[in-house]
Amino acid sequence: MKTKSFLEATEVRAVVAAAEAEALKQQWAMTIAVVDDGGHLLHLHRMDGAAPVSAHIAPGKARSAALGRRESKGYEDMINGGRTAFLSAPLDGMLEGGVPIMKDGQCIAAIGVSGAKPAEDTQVAKAGIAALGL
């Protein structure tokens, strides 16, 4: 039998706090979502001033990253590269800004961020993950 790692509530809060700190440092109003490895929402934080739609986009990015075990940017790149059939995939966040949280080669969760430019969303997501020291 294998042992499976997962994020505990204190770790989820640490990820969100670190991501929010990076967003505040850059003066970006964003929504930060953390999901488990199955794409189920663990935490959603819409910062003051973040666009309402970002509260729908961030969890979708996180789900896509968790279920695909890869950054959501990969899906966006595939579609922009001409593989438009991928639009029929059962994912709703195929935009840059979703990053899986990996431990020992396994996806244990994911974070999705929405509210700024795509690379800035990813920057904030990765700042959140860095808080775990993985």
Side-chain angles (χ1 to χ4, degrees):
M1 184 175 292
K2 294 183 179 184
T3 302
K4 179 179 171 183
S5 297
F6 63 92
L7 293 183
E8 294 182 342
T10 55
E11 294 162 326
V12 171
R13 287 191 295 271
V15 167
V16 172
E20 181 182 28
E22 177 66 16
L24 288 170
K25 180 175 133 187
Q26 303 298 333
Q27 299 182 331
W28 298 326
M30 312 180 104
T31 296
I32 302 156
V34 178
V35 299
D36 66 14
D37 64 330
H40 304 96
L41 190 62
L42 297 173
H43 194 96
L44 179 71
H45 176 55
R46 184 174 152 217
M47 296 171 59
D48 293 341
V53 73
S54 67
H56 293 277
I57 296 171
K61 290 178 178 184
R63 272 191 298 278
S64 292
L67 295 174
R69 310 315 200 226
R70 67 167 93 189
E71 289 192 31
S72 57
K73 181 183 186 321
Y75 300 115
E76 184 174 6
D77 290 346
M78 274 192 278
I79 293 163
N80 288 340
R83 194 168 176 203
T84 56
F86 211 86
L87 288 168
S88 65
L91 300 171
D92 60 354
M94 294 186 287
L95 301 167
E96 183 174 355
V99 181
I101 300 173
M102 307 295 288
K103 183 172 192 274
D104 300 325
Q106 299 295 315
C107 178
I108 61 170
I111 181 171
V113 178
S114 180
K117 294 177 182 174
E120 296 166 349
D121 291 348
T122 298
Q123 177 182 331
V124 169
K126 289 182 176 180
I129 294 170
L132 296 173
L134 299 174

